[in-house]
């Protein structure tokens, strides 16, 4: 589980522990200077570990940067040595440095974390997923599925990177699903709309939703958060994304692979066809 210290990653870790999994919990636990809002801390990761243990499951919590394959490999190898096997990968870590003023470095950090980070997690996990098949779940975003998402100048170079990285996730899932199917390793993506985490409640995200204001507050953004949702949902709880992650990790989805699972209260419906040939 990458990005496990807080938000959706913590929620997925707890949910999978409740279903009986031991957890390798990885997080950077440091800030990335090109990303305006603070990331998780050591204390956050320790809290995730405690919560996993409260389900009587084992946890190996490691500070590691998903941009650095060697750090991830060390964490995964140590976890497999301790737990004996690896069945599920959840590539979830992400940053969202949206905004006109974001530095060029935000492009590299976002692609490195959101896309290369997922690639790294999968690459180091695959050698351990040999006999029993397995399930790889990548966190995308509805941003991956929107038209014109990369080219909104108001979102800056960080916003372009966010959308590009999530599109690459969707493509990666599609390609790997085909290649790994003969090994019974399934590869799927979840694409959430707004989720109630620190990423959503951050100044860059508030500016995405209120481009009409220079320094929008949480209240300003909340007033329009539901506008993109036909169901009128402002945001989901992270646990509501975990429901889908738990399903995709389980045998209940054993013949589902290559799925781009929108969890969006209908947000994408006006922007897409029925997904069938005309
Ligand atoms: N919150 C939303 O509205 C939303 C919507 C769609 C998709 N997503 C995606 O969901 C995923 C989880 O985000 P979240 O909403 O829980 O936000 P979050 O900021 O609470 O969690 C992200 C976690 O990733 C960690 N992280 C960041 N860079 C890292 C790195 N280089 N190496 C290791 N860990 C790193 C952070 O420390 C943090 O714990 C992200 O991929 C995000 O793009 C979020």
């Amino acid at each position: 589980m990458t990005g496990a210290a807080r938000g959706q990653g913590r929620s997925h870790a707890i949910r999978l522990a409740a279903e009986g999994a031991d957890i390798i919990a990885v997080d950077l636990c440091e800030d990335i200077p090109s990303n305006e809002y603070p990331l998780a801390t050591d204390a956050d990761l320790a809290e995730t570990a405690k919560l996993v243990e409260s389900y009587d499951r084992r946890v190996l919590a490691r500070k590691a940067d998903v941009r650095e394959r060697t750090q991830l490999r060390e964490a995964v190898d140590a976890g497999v040595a301790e737990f004996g096997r690896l069945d599920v990968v959840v590539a979830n870590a992400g940053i969202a440095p949206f905004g006109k003023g974001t530095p060029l470095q935000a492009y590299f950090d976002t692609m490195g974390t959101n896309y290369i980070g997922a690639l790294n997690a999968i690459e180091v996990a695959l050698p351990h997923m040999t006999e029993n098949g397995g399930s790889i779940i990548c966190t995308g975003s509805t941003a991956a599925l929107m038209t014109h998402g990369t080219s909104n100048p108001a979102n800056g170079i960080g916003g372009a990177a966010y959308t590009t990285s999530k599109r690459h996730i969707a493509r990666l899932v599609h390609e790997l699903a085909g290649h790994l199917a003969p090994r019974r390793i399934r590869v799927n993506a979840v694409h959430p709309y707004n989720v109630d985490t620190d990423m959503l409640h951050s100044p860059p995200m508030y500016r995405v939703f209120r481009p009409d204001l220079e320094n929008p507050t949480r209240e300003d953004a909340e007033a329009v958060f539901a506008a993109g949702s036909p169901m009128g949902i402002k945001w989901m709880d992270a646990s509501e994304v975990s429901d889908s992650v738990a399903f995709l990790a389980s045998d209940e989805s054993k013949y589902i692979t290559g799925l781009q699972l929108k969890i969006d209260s209908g947000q994408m419906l006006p922007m897409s066809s029925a997904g069938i040939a005309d």
Side-chain angles (χ1 to χ4, degrees):
M1 176 76 55
T2 68
R6 72 177 191 197
Q8 293 177 66
R10 174 188 282 170
S11 172
H12 302 338
I14 294 168
R15 179 62 188 273
L16 294 182
E19 302 281 344
D22 296 323
I23 304 289
I24 303 170
V26 167
D27 204 288
L28 178 62
C29 300
E30 278 172 25
D31 292 342
I32 295 179
S34 68
N35 188 65
E36 190 182 329
Y37 60 94
L39 297 176
T41 62
D42 290 326
D44 291 326
L45 185 59
E47 177 65 15
T48 297
K50 215 168 84 187
L51 289 163
V52 168
E53 282 168 347
S54 73
Y55 287 92
D56 279 337
R57 301 316 308 168
R58 293 175 292 177
V59 61
L60 184 127
R62 271 288 163 93
K63 245 178 108 152
D65 188 336
V66 295
R67 294 170 293 179
E68 303 293 338
R69 192 172 311 157
T70 314
Q71 293 182 17
L72 273 187
R73 182 173 285 123
E74 281 169 11
V76 168
D77 288 355
V80 175
E82 197 171 327
F83 304 147
R85 56 192 273 185
L86 184 64
D87 303 306
V88 178
V89 178
V90 185
N92 160 84
I95 57 172
F98 286 85
K100 254 191 294 220
T102 42
L104 178 60
Q105 186 58 36
Y107 192 87
F108 303 114
D109 291 333
T110 305
M111 292 297 285
T113 298
N114 298 10
Y115 174 57
I116 305 294
L119 211 58
N120 287 340
I122 296 167
E123 186 179 350
V124 302
L126 272 176
H128 299 292
M129 301 174 88
T130 48
E131 282 168 29
N132 305 307
S135 173
I136 296 170
I137 301 151
C138 297
T139 304
S141 164
T142 49
L145 310 172
M146 291 175 193
T147 46
H148 309 306
T150 51
S151 53
N152 181 349
N155 291 339
I157 192 79
Y162 187 83
T163 306
T164 305
S165 68
K166 297 302 189 180
R167 285 188 180 173
H168 279 39
I169 288 284
R171 193 73 215 170
L172 173 73
V173 160
H174 181 77
E175 304 291 357
L176 288 186
H179 281 277
L180 292 172
R183 289 171 58 183
R184 298 280 174 122
I185 297 172
R186 302 179 295 106
V187 192
N188 294 294
V190 289
H191 294 290
Y193 182 46
N194 295 349
V195 188
D196 189 13
T197 67
D198 291 314
M199 177 184 282
L200 183 67
H201 293 294
S202 67
M205 211 54 98
Y206 293 162
R207 287 197 297 267
V208 168
F209 282 87
R210 293 303 303 263
D212 54 317
L213 302 175
E214 187 122 353
N215 289 309
T217 62
R218 179 176 173 136
E219 289 67 36
D220 296 328
E222 274 194 29
V224 301
F225 268 149
S229 159
M231 291 185 189
I233 303 293
K234 272 199 288 197
W235 54 60
M236 298 172 285
D237 190 75
S239 65
E240 290 164 328
V241 181
S242 303
D243 291 339
S244 296
V245 169
F247 169 68
L248 291 172
S250 77
D251 278 351
E252 287 170 20
S253 62
K254 71 176 158 197
Y255 300 126
I256 296 178
T257 195
L259 180 68
Q260 311 285 347
L261 180 57
K262 295 175 285 177
I263 312 173
D264 69 343
S265 67
Q267 186 218 5
M268 295 308 300
L269 290 173
M271 299 183 223
S272 58
S273 71
I276 51 177
D278 288 327

